């Protein structure tokens, strides 16, 4: 998708700098694996001077913006449809009558939110028109699982910002910061940081 729609944003056709934001690490599985994966991209995408991967966590339920709220509504709706499908004789709008795969989730959301079938519009709502997109690659619906081992991050539940320095090496901050000084420093990459690893001009005290 990026190569097709935003080719100028990619260096050598690959994402070299990425800032990822998620909820609290302690409440989500496989975050250690995802962070480890970012460290493996360093060498194949230009080395630590040309890459920058930052994994940031926020407090659960706070600060993620309205889109996270919409996502929660969509998820709750799908769960509600699954619970009630036996009584309703199947989930309306889906080909299978149930939620078996990503296509069924997409069809159910289009049916209820986009087409508004069985749903009353909310007067005064800031957003009440929705458009959903589905991208399918191949016909295999099973998610491939790689056989890989990596070292578990200690105290991942007590740290909130991880910056990849090199393969298998991370810098960790106790709290996340999105001030302009920190964003500029994170974008430049960790090799440009001073020896004491403190970001000059950071607006957050006691990181």
């Amino acid at each position: 998708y990026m190569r097709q729609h935003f080719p100028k944003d990619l260096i050598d056709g690959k994402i070299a700098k990425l800032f990822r934001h998620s909820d609290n690490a302690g409440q989500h599985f496989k975050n250690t694996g995802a962070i480890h994966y970012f460290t493996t991209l360093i060498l194949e995408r230009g080395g630590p001077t040309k890459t920058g991967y930052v994994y940031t966590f926020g407090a659960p339920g706070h600060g993620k913006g309205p889109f996270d709220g919409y996502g929660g509504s969509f998820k709750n709706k799908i769960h509600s449809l699954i619970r009630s499908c036996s009584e309703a004789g199947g989930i309306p709008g889906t080909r299978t009558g149930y939620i078996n795969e990503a296509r069924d989730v997409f069809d159910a959301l289009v049916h209820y939110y986009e087409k508004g079938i069985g749903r009353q519009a909310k007067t005064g709502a800031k957003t009440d028109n929705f458009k959903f997109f589905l991208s399918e690659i191949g016909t295999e619906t099973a998610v491939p699982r790689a056989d890989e081992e990596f070292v578990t991050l200690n105290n991942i539940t007590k740290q909130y910002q991880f910056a990849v320095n090199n393969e298998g090496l991370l810098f960790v901050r106790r709290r996340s910061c999105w001030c302009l000084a920190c964003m500029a420093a994170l974008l430049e990459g960790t090799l440009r940081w001073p020896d004491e690893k403190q970001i000059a001009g950071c607006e957050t005290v006691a990181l």
Side-chain angles (χ1 to χ4, degrees), residues 11 16-18 38-54 163-171 185-193:
I11 299 175
K17 296 188 178 183
L18 178 67
F38 284 148
T39 74
T40 66
L41 300 179
I42 295 291
L43 298 181
E44 71 175 61
R45 300 195 178 183
T49 60
K50 294 185 178 180
T51 56
Y53 299 103
V54 180
V164 175
N165 175 262
N166 212 324
E167 185 168 5
L169 182 61
L170 297 167
F171 287 155
L186 292 169
L187 191 64
E188 284 291 332
T190 57
L191 290 186
R192 297 180 182 271
W193 292 4

Side-chain angles (χ1 to χ4, degrees), residues 3-172:
R3 293 191 186 102
Q4 180 180 355
H5 297 280
F6 304 99
K8 295 182 179 179
D9 292 337
L10 300 178
I11 299 175
D12 297 328
K14 297 180 179 179
I15 297 175
K17 296 188 178 183
L18 178 67
F19 286 37
R20 178 168 179 171
H21 186 271
S22 181
D23 326 51
N24 185 24
Q27 295 189 3
H28 288 258
F29 56 91
K30 298 185 180 175
N31 281 318
T32 297
I35 295 173
H36 171 77
Y37 170 71
F38 284 148
T39 74
T40 66
L41 300 179
I42 295 291
L43 298 181
E44 71 175 61
R45 300 195 178 183
T49 60
K50 294 185 178 180
T51 56
Y53 299 103
V54 180
Y55 209 122
T56 300
F57 297 99
H62 298 280
K64 296 185 293 298
F67 301 106
D68 186 71
Y70 294 142
S73 297
F74 300 154
K75 181 176 68 174
N76 290 337
K77 182 59 182 178
I78 294 300
H79 288 169
S80 174
L81 290 172
I82 292 174
R83 289 193 300 266
S84 63
C85 70
S86 59
E87 301 174 3
I91 297 176
T94 62
R95 294 180 297 178
T96 64
Y98 194 66
I99 302 297
N100 291 309
E101 56 187 15
R103 163 66 68 172
D104 295 324
V105 174
F106 171 76
D107 290 340
L109 293 176
V110 168
H111 180 85
Y112 185 77
Y113 284 98
E114 190 172 317
K115 296 180 180 179
I117 300 175
R119 173 174 173 267
Q120 292 183 349
K122 296 183 179 179
T123 54
K126 293 182 179 180
T127 302
D128 200 51
N129 295 313
F130 300 91
K131 181 68 177 177
F132 296 91
F133 299 89
L134 175 66
S135 177
E136 293 180 312
I137 302 176
T139 57
E140 180 61 46
T141 58
V143 178
R145 304 296 183 187
D147 294 329
E148 189 172 12
E149 295 182 0
F150 43 82
V151 178
T152 301
L153 284 173
N154 294 326
N155 297 320
I156 188 174
T157 60
K158 298 179 181 179
Q159 315 295 336
Y160 282 85
Q161 195 161 43
F162 298 82
V164 175
N165 175 262
N166 212 324
E167 185 168 5
L169 182 61
L170 297 167
F171 287 155
V172 181

